[in-house]
């Protein structure tokens, strides 16, 4: 058997870690969008504050001009902060500079936002634009007051750096948490997988245990338990079938061989030869019927017949079986009664359900003495719909109820009764396919087979 190579970086390949990567990418995207929205709001607020300060400064200088101290106050301000963030320019009517630290003046009165260039003594800061307000005095002078956006730029840089630091830390924590979660889940999944492997190899370790917290691992463990239990049952059934075929089919094959071998003997007349060959053909037909029954059971157990499910009239199905088998039962000396509730429907395969009911009725006919009552019922109870096939024959011991539902099981050790012991096994397989509970009860005397139809499938 080829040895598989160990998977590299198994934690990084888990679904939990991929989910963490998606979460980190989503967080980064949301962080960028949040940064953009916050920056726009803060920038608008800062711009409004900046223009408010410029307007206040312009009003103050207009008052100084009315007091005759405009030039003196301008020079005092420029002496303190010649390189901004405040900018001034006062010119006369001939555009000559009286005072200021700007080299240019917009031609129109009012607000202007311009690139910061040509400022006298401009220091090395991050400002790149300046907000200016231009006023024109009646004597022809021009006054420009402005403030640059260095504080807005610095605030944006601090904000972006903070978002980058916090976002990077958050992404690292998300990835670290994803890695730890992946590692924990991988360990727990590997533990479940290892136990499942040991169960498949024959160890008796069921049930598998999840986390014990009712989470998805517990649900996975429960599903694995059902899967492994069914696998175990099927494997045991396969071993049992192999043993049963070896034991139950060996006798008819040996008998057929003896008959054919006897036909080779000298002195056998033509009539005897034809009889021997006919008996051998009958034996072979019985063997073929047994194999067909086995294949039918395997097909039902493999869930290959669910495609034929539809809503069927269950009451009509019981009525049809009763109509067919009433004359058969009476001809064989068995009184037959039928009590069938009307209007019951079931989602299932009509052919298989008919086969299940026919097998039960024929089983009752074949294993009960003459004059024994046979009853077929379909009853509606408060919480269930129950079908019953009851006979007054010798019945089946309670300790053998589970055994007779297996393949090739016949309580008569002589193996003389007709059939290969597959009828009830097929009934059990069909019932399992439809979710029908199968219960055998002692009718004292006789046997009652109850079919508990699932309410979830009833129409």
């Amino acid at each position: 058997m080829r040895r598989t190579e160990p998977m590299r970086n198994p934690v990084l390949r888990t679904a939990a870690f991929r989910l963490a990567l998606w979460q980190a990418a989503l967080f980064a995207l949301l962080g960028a969008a949040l940064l953009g929205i916050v920056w726009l709001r803060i920038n608008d607020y800062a711009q409004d504050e900046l223009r408010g300060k410029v307007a206040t400064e312009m009003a103050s200088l207009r008052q100084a001009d009315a007091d005759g101290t405009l030039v003196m106050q301008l020079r005092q301000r420029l002496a303190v902060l010649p390189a901004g963030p405040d900018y001034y320019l006062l010119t006369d009517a001939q555009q000559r500079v009286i005072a200021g630290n700007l080299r240019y003046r917009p031609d129109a009165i009012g607000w202007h936002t311009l690139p910061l260039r040509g400022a006298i003594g401009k220091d090395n800061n991050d400002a790149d634009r300046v907000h200016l307000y231009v006023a024109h005095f009646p004597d022809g002078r021009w006054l420009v007051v402005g403030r640059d956006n260095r504080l807005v730029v610095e605030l944006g840089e601090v904000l972006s750096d903070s978002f980058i630091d916090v976002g990077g830390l958050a992404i690292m924590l998300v990835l670290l948490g994803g890695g730890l979660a992946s590692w924990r889940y991988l360990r727990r999944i590997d533990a479940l997988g290892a136990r499942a492997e040991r169960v498949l190899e024959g160890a008796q370790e069921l049930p598998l245990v999840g986390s014990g917290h009712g989470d998805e691992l517990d649900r996975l463990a429960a599903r694995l338990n059902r899967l492994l239990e069914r696998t175990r049952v099927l494997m045991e059934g396969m071993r049992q079938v192999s043993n049963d075929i070896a034991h139950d089919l060996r006798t008819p094959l040996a008998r057929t061989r003896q008959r054919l071998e006897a036909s080779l003997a000298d002195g056998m007349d033509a009539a005897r030869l034809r009889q021997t060959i006919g008996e051998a053909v009958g034996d072979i037909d019985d063997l073929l019927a047994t194999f067909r029954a086995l294949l039918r059971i395997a097909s039902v157990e493999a869930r290959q017949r669910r495609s034929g499910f539809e809503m069927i009239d269950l009451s009509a199905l019981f009525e049809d079986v009763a109509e067919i088998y009433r004359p058969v039962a009476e001809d064989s000396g068995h009184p037959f009664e039928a009590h069938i509730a009307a209007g019951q429907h079931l989602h299932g395969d009509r052919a298989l359900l008919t086969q299940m009911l026919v097998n039960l009725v024929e089983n009752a006919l074949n294993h009960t003495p003459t004059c024994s009552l046979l009853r077929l019922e379909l009853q509606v109870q408060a919480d269930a719909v129950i079908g019953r096939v009851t006979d007054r024959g010798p019945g089946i011991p309670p300790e053998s109820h589970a055994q007779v539902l297996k393949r090739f099981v016949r309580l008569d050790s002589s193996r003389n009764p007709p059939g290969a012991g597959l009828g009830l096994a097929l009934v059990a397989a069909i019932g399992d396919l439809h979710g029908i509970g199968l219960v055998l009860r002692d009718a004292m005397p006789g046997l009652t087979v109850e079919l508990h139809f699932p309410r979830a499938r009833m129409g």
Side-chain angles (χ1 to χ4, degrees):
M1 182 174 61
R2 187 178 63 180
R3 185 177 181 179
T4 58
E5 296 182 358
M7 183 173 60
R8 298 179 180 178
N9 298 324
V11 172
L12 301 182
R13 296 173 180 267
T14 60
F17 190 77
R18 289 197 299 271
L19 178 61
L21 288 178
W22 278 105
Q23 290 176 338
L26 180 61
F27 181 84
L29 182 62
L30 292 177
L34 180 62
L35 174 62
I37 294 173
V38 171
W39 164 241
L40 289 176
R41 296 293 178 85
I42 291 179
N43 183 67
D44 291 341
Y45 176 78
Q47 300 285 0
D48 293 340
E49 286 291 312
L50 188 150
R51 290 202 171 196
K53 293 182 181 298
V54 172
T56 301
E57 186 71 0
M58 175 62 76
S60 176
L61 292 178
R62 283 180 178 273
Q63 183 61 42
D65 181 64
D67 298 337
T69 61
L70 175 59
V71 175
M72 179 185 66
Q73 291 198 25
L74 284 175
R75 288 175 178 171
Q76 287 177 352
R77 286 172 167 78
L78 293 174
V80 177
L81 294 172
D86 295 316
Y87 298 90
Y88 307 95
L89 180 61
L90 179 63
T91 63
D92 58 16
Q94 286 74 37
Q95 305 296 323
R96 291 189 295 269
V97 176
I98 301 174
N101 58 351
L102 278 176
R103 297 183 181 275
Y104 55 93
R105 174 182 63 80
D107 295 331
I109 298 173
W111 286 103
H112 301 271
T113 301
L114 301 173
L116 181 60
R117 64 182 187 279
I120 299 173
K122 177 181 181 298
D123 63 354
N124 186 22
N125 58 69
D126 294 328
D128 57 354
R129 302 189 72 79
V130 61
H131 294 261
L132 303 174
Y133 188 81
V134 181
H136 188 224
F137 292 107
D139 58 3
R141 290 174 302 157
W142 292 81
L143 176 61
V144 181
V145 178
R147 174 168 286 202
D148 63 32
N149 64 342
R150 68 179 65 184
L151 294 179
V152 178
V153 173
E154 291 173 358
L155 181 61
E157 291 177 351
V158 172
L159 187 64
S160 60
D161 291 343
S162 300
F163 265 86
I164 291 174
D165 293 341
V166 174
L169 178 61
I171 290 175
M172 289 181 60
L173 291 176
V174 169
L175 294 178
L176 179 61
L180 290 175
S182 302
W183 176 71
R184 288 189 61 199
Y185 270 78
L186 190 62
R187 286 188 60 190
R188 293 160 72 182
I189 292 295
D190 284 345
L192 283 177
R195 294 192 67 184
E197 287 287 345
R198 291 195 294 272
V199 171
L200 291 177
E201 291 173 359
Q204 300 295 325
E205 296 194 23
L206 287 176
L208 302 182
V209 180
S211 64
H213 302 295
D215 57 11
E216 63 275 8
L217 283 183
D218 284 337
R219 295 193 294 272
L220 175 62
R223 291 185 173 94
L224 282 176
N225 284 331
R226 291 195 294 270
L227 173 64
L228 293 173
E229 177 63 23
R230 181 161 184 82
T231 301
R232 184 184 64 81
V233 170
L234 292 176
M235 292 176 66
E236 290 181 357
M238 183 64 68
R239 287 193 294 267
Q240 184 64 35
V241 167
S242 300
N243 293 333
D244 291 339
I245 290 176
H247 288 85
D248 287 74
L249 300 187
R250 181 176 58 185
T251 299
L253 285 174
R255 185 169 59 248
T256 303
R257 185 183 185 282
Q258 291 173 358
R259 288 172 175 171
L260 293 175
E261 187 176 15
S263 68
L264 298 176
D266 296 334
M268 180 176 288
D269 57 20
R272 179 59 180 165
L273 179 61
R274 285 195 297 270
Q275 179 183 355
T276 301
I277 295 176
E279 292 172 349
V281 171
D283 291 340
I284 294 174
D285 288 339
D286 292 339
L287 290 174
L288 292 176
T290 298
F291 280 110
R292 283 195 297 270
L294 287 172
L295 291 175
R296 190 173 180 84
I297 293 174
S299 173
V300 172
E301 289 181 341
R303 304 297 198 264
Q304 293 177 2
R305 293 295 300 269
R306 285 190 183 273
S307 59
F309 275 27
E310 60 183 355
M311 190 60 66
I312 64 173
D313 190 334
L314 187 63
S315 300
L317 188 149
F318 269 70
E319 292 285 358
D320 292 343
V321 173
E323 183 178 353
I324 293 172
Y325 278 91
R326 179 178 284 107
V328 175
E330 293 175 351
D331 288 345
S332 61
H334 294 85
F336 189 92
E337 295 181 0
H339 305 280
I340 300 170
Q344 301 304 309
H345 295 76
L346 178 71
H347 186 257
D349 188 304
R350 182 180 180 86
L352 289 180
L353 293 171
T354 301
Q355 180 71 62
M356 176 178 66
L357 202 56
V358 165
N359 280 17
L360 292 176
V361 173
E362 289 187 347
N363 190 71
L365 288 173
N366 292 332
H367 295 85
T368 55
T370 305
C371 299
S372 298
L373 176 66
L374 180 64
R375 181 185 296 114
L376 178 64
E377 300 174 279
L378 180 65
Q379 295 182 351
V380 180
Q381 298 184 356
D383 57 350
V385 176
I386 299 179
R388 293 187 181 91
V389 178
T390 303
D391 63 64
R392 296 301 181 184
I396 298 175
E399 62 273 13
S400 301
H401 284 178
Q403 187 71 14
V404 297
L405 298 179
K406 298 180 180 179
R407 298 177 179 90
F408 296 108
V409 174
R410 291 181 295 182
L411 298 182
D412 189 344
S413 59
S414 67
R415 304 287 180 173
N416 290 326
L422 296 174
L424 289 180
L426 181 58
V427 169
I430 296 173
D432 182 64
L433 178 67
H434 289 80
I436 300 172
L438 188 63
V439 180
L440 275 63
R441 300 187 186 278
D442 190 355
M444 294 183 298
L447 176 70
T448 296
V449 180
E450 290 187 353
L451 304 172
H452 293 252
F453 295 97
R455 276 291 188 183
R457 295 181 182 270
M458 301 300 295

